[in-house]
Structures are given as C-alpha cells and as structure tokens.
Amino acid sequence: MIKQATLNELDKLAELFDKYRVFYGKTADIEGSRTFLRERIKNEESVIYLAMKDDEIDTLMGFVQLYPIFTSVGLKRQWLLNDLYVEPAYRRKGVGEKLLSKAEELSLQTASAGILLETAHDNTGAQQLYEKYGYNKDKDHFFYFLST
C-alpha cells in the first residue's frame, strides 16, 4: 500500500529517513530527521509517500519525497524527486517502482512539466531503476552547486 505521509506516521518515517541519510554517509540523527520531516509535512513543503506492508505503519518498506519547483522557461511546476529509499529486505520486489508510479501520478495530477532527480554516479542500482521506469539521463546540461 502507498499512502501520503502525515504527522501521524512521523516517528516511523523518521527512523526510515535516518537510515536513508546513513546510507549516504551521514551520521545518524533521529531527532534531526524527525524535526526536518515535521517541518516539511507541517508547512506542506514536500509530498512524501510511504510504502507500507498491508496497511501496517509498523512495516514501512520505503518512501519517496518530492519538492515542488518551477520551470520558468516552461511556465509550469515541476517536481524534484529528492529522496527515494527502500529497505534492503524489500529491494527488487517492486516497491521502488510503486513509489515512482505514485510520484508520476502526483506529477500528472498537478499538470506539471515532469519530475527531475539526481543520483550518485556510483548508485547504479538506482540508475537502473530510473532508466527502467522511463527516466532519461540528461546529457545536455551540467549541474553546479554552491556550498554556503
């Protein structure tokens, strides 16, 4: 089952989100994760979908978090798929695809231009999933980042 996260699922989501952060080399910080997610949900700054086993909040299999952005040239909203994580026990079982499908549904429902995402060069598992699902690697643009 896929459902949109609310503050009711915050504690379980924070645990899963913290595992995601650790996967990317960050130090575990459950309280920081909880605070960050509470603010995103409370202020409606992102949309988070949860993959749950049989409608059981105790069995979160994964999540996807999307942020609204805009394309000035295209005069439309876009979605930034910033976070996608599936628990190792549920990988290669269709959970990631279901979360991507829900993200696509959001994009279509909001008449957005599409979904943008980035992933690490060495995250080949994620790259294979995205390409299998129809995402195209951008070969026309460079991305820059300014740390402040």
Side-chain angles (χ1 to χ4, degrees):
M1 177 182 149
I2 307 292
K3 72 168 288 214
Q4 187 169 345
T6 67
L7 292 175
N8 294 332
E9 296 86 26
L10 182 60
D11 289 337
K12 289 292 181 182
L13 174 58
E15 290 174 22
L16 193 62
F17 187 77
D18 202 53
K19 290 179 184 180
Y20 163 76
R21 293 181 64 258
V22 169
F23 175 82
Y24 277 103
K26 299 298 180 187
T27 303
D29 183 357
I30 295 281
E31 282 306 313
S33 293
R34 184 179 290 112
T35 299
F36 180 83
L37 292 167
R38 180 185 307 112
E39 291 303 307
R40 301 299 72 74
I41 294 170
K42 185 176 79 171
N43 296 324
E44 298 180 352
E45 294 172 336
S46 72
V47 175
I48 305 169
Y49 292 113
L50 307 173
M52 300 184 311
K53 188 173 183 180
D54 302 322
D55 195 22
E56 298 173 22
I57 187 60
D58 288 337
T59 312
L60 282 185
M61 298 184 293
F63 75 94
V64 64
Q65 180 166 211
L66 300 113
Y67 294 94
I69 58 175
F70 298 89
T71 167
S72 301
V73 174
L75 303 174
K76 283 189 157 193
R77 173 197 308 264
Q78 290 180 321
W79 289 96
L80 173 62
L81 192 162
N82 204 68
D83 312 302
L84 174 68
Y85 181 77
V86 176
E87 284 276 44
Y90 299 105
R91 292 181 186 160
R92 301 202 180 277
K93 296 184 178 179
V95 175
E97 287 93 338
K98 287 180 182 171
L99 288 166
L100 288 176
S101 180
K102 194 65 175 175
E104 182 180 12
E105 186 180 307
L106 173 68
S107 182
L108 291 168
Q109 287 174 345
T110 57
S112 80
I115 301 171
L116 174 69
L117 64 84
E118 69 174 271
T119 192
H121 292 277
D122 62 353
N123 193 348
T124 55
Q127 291 171 36
Q128 289 172 357
L129 172 64
Y130 299 137
E131 289 171 15
K132 175 183 171 188
Y133 202 79
Y135 284 75
N136 297 307
K137 193 179 289 186
D138 188 335
K139 295 180 173 112
D140 298 327
H141 302 93
F142 291 110
F143 293 90
Y144 293 88
F145 179 75
L146 174 65
S147 183
T148 57

